[in-house]
Amino acid sequence: MKRFAALFATLDATTGTTAKVVALADYFRTAPEADRVWTIALLSGRRPKRAVSAPELRDWAAAAAGLPLWLFEESYAVAGDLAETIALVLPPATGDDSRSLSDHMAALAALTDRPAEVRRAAILAAWDGLGPDERFLFNKLLTGGFRMGVSQGLMTRALAQATGMEEADLAHRLMGDWSPATLTFADLVAPDPAGNSARPYPFALAAPLEDAPDMLGPPADWLAEWKWDGIRSQLICRPGSHALWSRGEELITDRFPEFAGLADFLPPGTVIDGEVLAWGAGRPLPFAALQRRIGRKSVPRKLLAEAPARLIAYDLLEADGTDLRAEPLERRRARLAAILCALPPGLLLDLSPDLAFTDWSDLATLRRTAREARAEGVMLKRRSSPYHLGRKRGDWWKWKLDPFTVDAVMLYAQAGHGRRANLYTDFTFAVRDGEALVPFAKAYSGLTDAEFAQITDWVRKHTLERFGPVRRVPPELVFELAFEGIQASPRHKSGLALRFPRMLRWRHDKPVTEIDTLDSLRALLNRET
Amino acid sequence: MLAAMTCAPVLCFTDRGLFCPEGDFHIDPWRPVDRALVTHGHSDHARPGHGAYLCTAAAAPVIRHRLGDIRLDTIAYGEKRGIGGVTVSFHPAGHVPGSAQIRVERAGEVWVVSGDYKIESDGLSEPFDPVVCHTFISECTFGLPVFRWRPQAEVMAGLARWWAANAARGVTSVLSAYSLGKAQRIMAGIAPATGPLILHPAVDAVTEILRTQGYALPPATRLAPGVTAKTHPGALILVPPGAEGTSWAGRFGPTETAFASGWMALRGIRRRRGEGTGFVLSDHADWPGLNAAIRATGATRVFVTHGYTAPFRRWLAEQGLDAGIVETGWQGETAEPEALVE
């Protein structure tokens, strides 16, 4: 753990990417192999199974520090991080725990499902043997939310430096579902030929197009298609089996049993990049329908009938077991179309249609109709582009619709976490309904640090009531919120829920009397569905 | 909160600050008054515009330097002086050189105003001296259990390692620290020196005053136009917060910055500062220190001020003390705690 803590301290102390890569590469060359595997797993967002719950940790730490729970909570509100709060309030360690990162991970894995008393004793003993930084990291491992200020790309680059392997091969190798508890470092970085892997390829990502596309050059160089609003996925067909992966590298094959039939007809050695959508009457259903399918491990027949899924194919990454990612998009699309044409009718797989346009203003006109097509906007892909590793600017653009907007007033404020600890950044907003103010959305992004600091100062001076970490404030600050969609929601007081609400700007110029009304949001809801 | 407090027998809480009716004086008032007793020279305690000032002999030179031509009387630590119907005395608070707690006694009833204080001896300030009293008015800047300081020697060793590592790479070290107290404490504590010490003019002015008073401080160079990385390789430059990146920095080539403050205990605040290293070094008592100090007074009634007053008051009440809050008139909570003068 000491070695891992030293790596963390180095990474935490610098914002320079070069220095971070050097420190990581050094760690990947010299740390115990089992620790390397765990570090790679953690830095690529793989979480160990939780051995203890956050409330248990809080209770045990408060008791060990001799603090009442309310005081622990006050401290948590100020530190903004549970792992850090625990590390700080505990009395200094009396022992010296020399176990490595992987030792700790193994010990924690062995604790899952043990009686609370056993887990408590083990956690207290660990706390009492760790220095302040190690204790913080240990708690981070327990609570799961692990970030070290290192992107997966940066980690892959460091690993490539340490092993001499190609970055692209490593990126593919690290995809998918593998367990740091059972995989050795040698296996993890062993070459893995295309054509026999059930692992997804790293997804190519588009950058947002901020201006009009005129500067992209001749329209003929570009392929346009709808930006569908579903689950970006990769379908992998191997002889006798298939796998469906989400962009979040989650294996979702079992959640969409309707695609099992596809695998019977697609040639083995086919990998398709596409979008899973809920589908009805020849067009996508609103995202809310698909949402009912997400997070369900098994699908009841009723739901399968109400929200049937369909895969809309964008791209072909592998055909006949050959990796096509370096080929131009145009050629990949042509092969994809040929494969889909050869399929019998009635399968739940379609080609994402090309949007025909001759000049950019045609496309701008089409884009304005995206909402009617149940799309989020338009994708633009250079016809000559390879299937890039991750997000590379220049070849793939997403040209999203302008969001909906609403003017609303802040009712409650809550302090943020991590870098935003101590700053009021999470707000609850209301619109007018006659004389009343009805809360309808929460948002916590879109303002500058300086604005958050100014609002924090205001919140502290104008607090009317405190509910734990939440403060009620007078309804005076007006904000323009942006959001992507709206749906009915019986769980919310307002009867509706917004998708991706965020603050567009602080309307200093607008009095509360002029904010939007619940009726105007309801009108939008009726138009949407 | 202010309105909830009624006039107390020895000291009461007014919109100008703590007031002693029978002595007709205020303690650390934030608005102009006729007669002010001042605990120490930091600007949130020693304010301009009062008719007359009383502070310790050790605090007087810096206060004079900062406030100019004022009517200032001094008193020795421990010396008893009658003012109106009460007796006052000043006792070391350990916060910065010359800082004091103020004891006010009337007919056997003793109140103590802590001012700012810290428990651990820093080797430069007169060490904190607990004063037994009935009512204690305590600061609580760091009145939450997340604030636990490491021993000063350990922090200074970390600072010295950071400086030495920078110097070895040919990098100049720039450390922000308050110009009264923190800066001199670091000068005195960081020996043996890796290289030359350079002081920003604001730090140098206070340092010269303290040196003349007899506080043992190592030699240092004032930051002036001819002072550069060439003339002073491997230097440590002490600057007040906010003066890190100004015109002089270009003369020193590559630099590393660090900030020494109790607020650096919180990772969120460290990260918001962006670049630079944070050293957890405070001139205030930490959580164990506040609790130990309050216990040592034997006081049964405690008023808390400056800091996390609401939770700290509740904590003390749960410990069986009669606990209240004194709001400071001009400060309140600020958006960024690091902007607080420690």
Side-chain angles (χ1 to χ4, degrees), chain B residues 188-202:
Chain B
I190 204 166
T194 289
L197 282 170
I198 299 176
L199 306 182
H200 184 278

Side-chain angles (χ1 to χ4, degrees), chain A residues 8 12 15 65-68 70-71 74-75 78-79 84-85 88-92 132 136 418-423 453 456-457 460-461 466 471, chain B residues 143-148 150 263 265-277 287 308 310-312 314-315 318 331 333-337:
Chain A
F8 177 79
D12 203 33
T15 51
L67 300 174
W70 68 263
L71 185 52
E74 289 274 356
S75 303
V78 167
E84 184 185 2
T85 307
L88 291 174
V89 302
L90 290 170
F136 168 68
R419 210 181 76 86
R420 296 163 134 209
N422 261 316
L423 279 182
T456 296
D457 205 34
R460 288 181 167 158
K461 290 187 177 124
R466 295 176 62 161
R471 295 188 179 205
Chain B
L144 281 178
V146 287
F147 299 107
R148 287 171 180 271
R150 307 295 301 167
W263 296 109
L266 297 182
R267 188 158 175 263
I269 294 178
R270 279 203 307 276
R271 286 165 69 200
R272 269 214 292 286
R273 284 185 61 83
E275 288 292 323
T277 312
W287 172 260
Y308 295 104
F312 194 51
R314 182 171 167 194
W315 162 257
E318 288 184 5
Q331 192 168 266
E333 282 183 276
T334 53
E336 286 289 89

Side-chain angles (χ1 to χ4, degrees), chain A residues 132-146:
Chain A
D133 283 357
E134 296 169 79
R135 212 186 243 173
F136 168 68
L137 286 172
F138 176 72
N139 293 340
K140 279 288 182 195
L141 299 175
L142 291 174
T143 55
F146 200 85

Side-chain angles (χ1 to χ4, degrees), chain A residues 297-516:
Chain A
K297 291 257 149 118
S298 66
V299 196
R301 190 165 300 163
K302 184 162 175 284
L303 185 58
L304 213 51
E306 284 169 2
R310 199 171 188 89
L311 181 66
I312 305 298
Y314 294 131
D315 213 325
L316 184 67
L317 311 189
E318 201 184 300
D320 298 329
T322 308
D323 184 350
L324 300 180
R325 292 178 298 159
E327 304 260 316
L329 169 66
E330 206 159 32
R331 206 172 308 161
R332 297 197 308 271
R333 282 283 280 215
R335 280 192 77 169
L336 176 63
I339 290 176
L340 298 187
C341 271
L343 294 176
L347 286 179
L348 306 169
L349 176 64
D350 292 306
L351 184 66
S352 173
D354 285 22
L355 297 177
F357 68 107
T358 47
D359 57 46
W360 293 119
S361 66
D362 290 352
L363 189 65
T365 309
L366 269 171
R367 170 176 168 265
R368 279 193 288 274
T369 67
R371 227 161 236 140
E372 283 85 84
R374 289 260 160 76
E376 290 184 292
V378 165
M379 294 292 301
L380 278 167
K381 297 173 180 172
R382 197 186 293 276
R383 291 183 183 275
S384 61
S385 64
Y387 191 86
H388 285 295
L389 206 59
R391 185 173 279 115
K392 281 233 165 51
R393 285 181 78 82
D395 283 344
W396 282 30
W397 299 97
K398 48 183 170 187
W399 193 21
K400 290 176 72 163
L401 279 172
D402 295 331
F404 297 107
T405 62
V406 56
D407 290 326
V409 67
M410 185 205 290
L411 284 191
Y412 302 97
Q414 184 170 0
H417 295 273
R419 210 181 76 86
R420 296 163 134 209
N422 261 316
L423 279 182
Y424 284 90
T425 56
D426 302 8
F427 310 136
T428 302
F429 295 98
V431 283
R432 281 188 304 121
D433 183 22
E435 289 303 299
L437 290 171
V438 182
F440 72 105
K442 284 183 177 183
Y444 47 85
S445 65
L447 300 182
T448 63
D449 282 0
E451 284 173 317
F452 279 130
Q454 206 183 336
I455 293 168
T456 296
D457 205 34
W458 184 87
V459 167
R460 288 181 167 158
K461 290 187 177 124
H462 293 85
T463 299
L464 298 175
E465 245 179 308
R466 295 176 62 161
F467 313 93
V470 178
R471 295 188 179 205
R472 187 165 72 83
V473 294
E476 288 173 17
L477 303 192
V478 174
F479 295 83
E480 183 177 353
L481 305 187
F483 57 98
E484 298 301 320
I486 187 165
Q487 65 191 66
S489 167
R491 286 189 300 127
H492 292 87
K493 201 171 178 180
S494 60
L496 38 90
L498 306 188
R499 272 193 87 198
F500 299 133
R502 68 267 184 191
M503 288 165 273
L504 212 51
R505 60 200 166 116
W506 185 358
R507 296 292 305 257
H508 297 272
D509 56 321
K510 201 147 214 191
V512 179
T513 48
E514 289 175 24
I515 61 171
D516 282 302

Side-chain angles (χ1 to χ4, degrees), chain B residues 280-300:
Chain B
V280 186
L281 187 72
S282 177
D283 291 334
H284 294 262
D286 62 356
W287 172 260
L290 289 169
N291 281 285
I294 288 167
R295 270 195 305 277
T297 63
T300 52

Side-chain angles (χ1 to χ4, degrees), chain A residues 100-247:
Chain A
S100 70
L101 171 65
S102 49
D103 291 344
H104 275 290
M105 298 313 298
L108 288 179
L111 281 181
T112 41
D113 306 327
R114 301 294 308 280
E117 242 345 276
V118 176
R119 290 180 292 122
R120 180 175 166 276
I123 300 298
L124 286 178
W127 279 338
D128 195 41
L130 297 170
D133 283 357
E134 296 169 79
R135 212 186 243 173
F136 168 68
L137 286 172
F138 176 72
N139 293 340
K140 279 288 182 195
L141 299 175
L142 291 174
T143 55
F146 200 85
R147 288 212 197 118
M148 281 178 117
V150 175
S151 67
Q152 187 162 350
L154 219 58
M155 188 265 291
T156 312
R157 196 189 309 168
L159 193 58
Q161 281 185 15
T163 58
M165 283 178 69
E166 286 295 323
E167 232 177 288
D169 294 342
L170 271 174
H172 186 202
R173 191 66 195 81
L174 299 183
M175 295 287 288
D177 193 14
W178 50 270
S179 165
T182 52
L183 199 65
T184 67
F185 183 70
D187 286 343
L188 187 62
V189 300
D192 181 34
N196 61 10
S197 164
R199 263 189 302 280
Y201 289 100
F203 284 79
L205 303 175
L209 189 68
E210 309 290 356
D211 307 311
D214 308 37
M215 47 59 161
L216 293 180
D221 291 351
W222 294 85
L223 178 139
E225 60 189 328
W226 291 123
K227 184 181 187 316
W228 297 109
D229 184 16
I231 307 169
R232 177 87 182 274
S233 303
Q234 221 175 95
L235 180 71
I236 302 174
C237 296
R238 298 276 167 233
S241 71
H242 79 288
L244 186 70
W245 292 90
S246 73
R247 219 203 94 187

